[in-house]
Amino acid sequence: MQHTEASEQQNTDHANTTKLNMRKLLMWVFLGSDCLFFGAFIATYMLYRNSSLVGPYPQEILSIPVTSASTFILLTSSLAMVLALTAFQRGNTSAARFWLFSTAFLGCTFLGFQVFEFYTFVEEGLTPQTNLFGATFFTLTGFHGFHVMLGVIWLFSLLGVSMTRGIPAEKSLDVELAGLYWHFVDIVWIVIFTVVYLLSSLPSASSH
Amino acid sequence: MSTSENVDSHHDSGHPTAKQYVLIGIILTLITMLEVAVFYVEALRSVFAVIFLGLSAVKFAIVAFYYMHLKFDHTLFSAFFFVGLFLAGSIVMALMAILGAF
């Protein structure tokens, strides 16, 4: 009951003729536009991944076991995020903070995996300047990593606000918006994992 | 019009429980494990693309509809997102067609 009142208060703050919460609508518009951003990078990667004149080539360097682990971590962070939101909406502050911290921590772990992967690739001779695969791979995964980094900063900021001023149930929309962004980063990775890693790692995917 | 009629007021309108969210997380993990397992099955190599894209689409939909609550929220939110997604897919297909990737 308290839950519903909190939601109503939240909506009262942004009442309008559409009866939709404008902050949430704006977030969805942003996510829709971000699809175009990543769509362009994914298209570029798919076009040029097999056009490199020199190696390393995708199937020589991509590591499915390592990337599977980082994918599992990002999927788990999405679960932690939705549990954090549920806890905030129910007014369970301690659980909400735990899950919010867990989400941010898992996000940092994912970034650690990405840094490790980039470092390994550079060690093995693949940089953005090496070939077309390197240029498109680092651009796509780098921008995704940048999105994850922004999400981690957002989550830690929310955690800081929760620790200092508190985030009551009627302000849970602040957490929900961060959650939408975080889940979006997750679904983009779902696509990247399939297109960049699983499909590109096959020997038959190479035409060099 | 009362505020309770605001259409994105949703938190008690059939959203999954914490246990259901955990179950969804387990399903997502199992699908990812299945993808990785399939990757190492040589006999399925000819249909890898179909399997991977299909499983990826299932994961995508589960996260979007359940974790992002599109299943429970106003359809306008879904519309804005899926229009963007459709345009992105069109860009991918158009660029690949124009530049001869097919």
Side-chain angles (χ1 to χ4, degrees):
Chain A
M1 192 60 180
Q2 181 190 356
H3 205 195
T4 308
E5 286 167 7
S7 297
E8 287 176 8
Q9 176 62 42
Q10 213 167 276
N11 290 318
T12 308
D13 295 341
H14 300 281
N16 55 76
T17 54
T18 65
K19 304 177 199 65
L20 290 170
N21 185 293
M22 286 295 106
R23 288 175 67 199
K24 199 167 169 181
L25 185 63
L26 188 62
M27 174 53 80
W28 278 111
V29 172
F30 164 70
L31 297 181
S33 69
D34 224 19
C35 285
L36 299 174
F37 180 82
F38 279 106
F41 282 131
I42 289 170
T44 309
Y45 173 82
M46 290 174 75
L47 278 168
Y48 293 117
R49 64 179 176 172
N50 294 324
S51 302
S52 301
L53 298 177
V54 294
Y57 302 103
Q59 68 281 4
E60 294 172 349
I61 201 165
L62 294 173
S63 170
I64 296 301
V66 171
T67 317
S68 301
S70 65
T71 301
F72 171 73
I73 285 165
L74 203 59
L75 284 173
T76 308
S77 78
S78 256
L79 173 60
M81 184 71 238
V82 83
L83 292 176
L85 175 62
T86 303
F88 270 115
Q89 288 171 341
R90 295 183 191 285
N92 188 347
T93 307
S94 57
R97 286 175 185 163
F98 170 78
W99 288 118
L100 200 57
F101 174 79
S102 300
T103 309
F105 177 77
L106 289 167
C108 289
T109 308
F110 176 83
L111 287 174
F113 267 93
Q114 195 158 39
V115 169
F116 168 76
E117 182 185 51
F118 282 11
Y119 178 79
T120 307
F121 285 4
V122 170
E123 286 281 295
E124 293 180 22
L126 182 71
T127 69
Q129 291 83 31
T130 306
N131 55 25
L132 281 170
F133 163 62
T136 53
F137 171 84
F138 280 107
T139 304
L140 173 57
T141 56
F143 268 108
H144 178 268
F146 181 69
H147 275 68
V148 174
M149 190 187 72
L150 290 181
V152 167
I153 292 170
W154 193 349
L155 293 173
F156 274 125
S157 302
L158 278 175
L159 190 62
V161 171
S162 172
M163 301 289 275
T164 53
R165 286 181 288 165
I167 300 178
E170 62 266 21
K171 289 282 185 185
S172 64
L173 181 66
D174 294 345
V175 181
E176 187 173 358
L177 294 179
L180 287 176
Y181 177 83
W182 192 258
H183 297 312
F184 176 75
V185 165
D186 187 20
I187 57 177
V188 169
W189 185 255
I190 287 172
V191 177
I192 290 175
F193 178 61
T194 301
V195 173
V196 174
Y197 291 90
L198 292 177
L199 293 178
S200 301
S201 298
L202 305 171
S204 57
S206 175
S207 62
H208 60 273
Chain B
M1 183 98 34
S2 73
T3 53
S4 63
E5 290 175 292
N6 279 330
V7 285
D8 67 333
S9 180
H10 54 74
H11 297 145
D12 285 332
S13 58
H15 275 213
T17 61
K19 277 186 181 175
Q20 288 169 322
Y21 282 133
V22 172
L23 182 63
I24 291 167
I26 292 170
I27 292 170
L28 289 169
T29 303
L30 290 175
I31 294 174
T32 305
M33 289 170 67
L34 180 63
E35 283 178 322
V36 177
V38 167
F39 181 81
Y40 292 103
V41 180
E42 288 291 326
L44 296 173
R45 188 166 290 274
S46 59
V47 288
F48 268 176
V50 175
I51 293 173
F52 290 148
L53 291 175
L55 291 175
S56 173
V58 171
K59 285 201 294 182
F60 189 103
I62 289 174
V63 174
F65 284 109
Y66 288 95
Y67 281 179
M68 298 174 89
H69 300 155
L70 279 181
K71 181 176 166 62
F72 313 99
D73 274 347
H74 194 271
T75 50
L76 193 58
F77 296 145
S78 301
F80 274 110
F81 181 62
F82 285 109
V83 165
L85 191 62
F86 173 77
L87 289 174
S90 302
I91 287 172
V92 173
M93 292 299 157
L95 279 175
M96 292 183 74
I98 290 168
L99 298 174
F102 291 124

